[in-house]
Amino acid sequence: MVRYYWGRPQDVIRWYLRGTLYLSAQSRKSYIEKIGAEPGNLPRLLKLLNNLDDIFDTLDTDSIALLCLRYVELLSIAETTKRTGLPAYQITAKTGKVMKKAKEIISKA
């Protein structure tokens, strides 16, 4: 049996993204209420948050982890290649799958 200190990698990433999206949504909601601004992309953000499990259930953890590595740390593909040892085409393909699924969910909002 493999033990992980923080939990299974897929669950750690899932809960990290859920927390980040939730905080972002709450911050926007508070700003909108305070200023009286238009909702903007808040409905799309909430739709993505509510459907986050759909992304995780249909994509492998490595793709999501790579996306997190690139966008949370704002790395270029070249930097990600150095850190992971994966070729650029694999990084592009894996992160593209996650973004495509997220865009499908957002477009339905």
Side-chain angles (χ1 to χ4, degrees), residues 9-27:
Q10 183 170 3
D11 295 335
V12 171
I13 293 169
R14 183 185 309 224
W15 288 108
Y16 176 80
L17 283 177
R18 188 178 310 282
T20 301
L21 289 172
Y22 177 78
L23 290 174
S24 178
Q26 290 304 311
S27 173

Side-chain angles (χ1 to χ4, degrees), residues 21-93:
L21 289 172
Y22 177 78
L23 290 174
S24 178
Q26 290 304 311
S27 173
R28 276 179 211 207
K29 187 176 177 184
S30 174
Y31 174 78
I32 289 167
E33 290 170 355
K34 210 180 274 184
I35 305 298
E38 294 294 316
N41 66 354
L42 180 62
R44 292 171 29 186
L45 180 61
L46 293 172
K47 177 83 170 181
L48 182 61
L49 182 59
N50 290 335
N51 291 283
L52 195 61
D53 289 334
D54 290 346
I55 295 173
F56 277 85
D57 293 342
T58 58
L59 295 165
D60 62 77
T61 308
D62 290 346
S63 296
I64 296 166
L66 272 174
L67 184 73
C68 291
L69 180 65
R70 283 206 57 217
Y71 291 98
V72 171
E73 296 187 18
L74 301 174
L75 299 175
S76 68
I77 289 183
E79 291 169 318
T80 308
T81 300
K82 273 189 220 169
R83 286 199 187 185
T84 63
L86 293 171
Y89 74 90
Q90 279 188 345
I91 292 166
T92 303

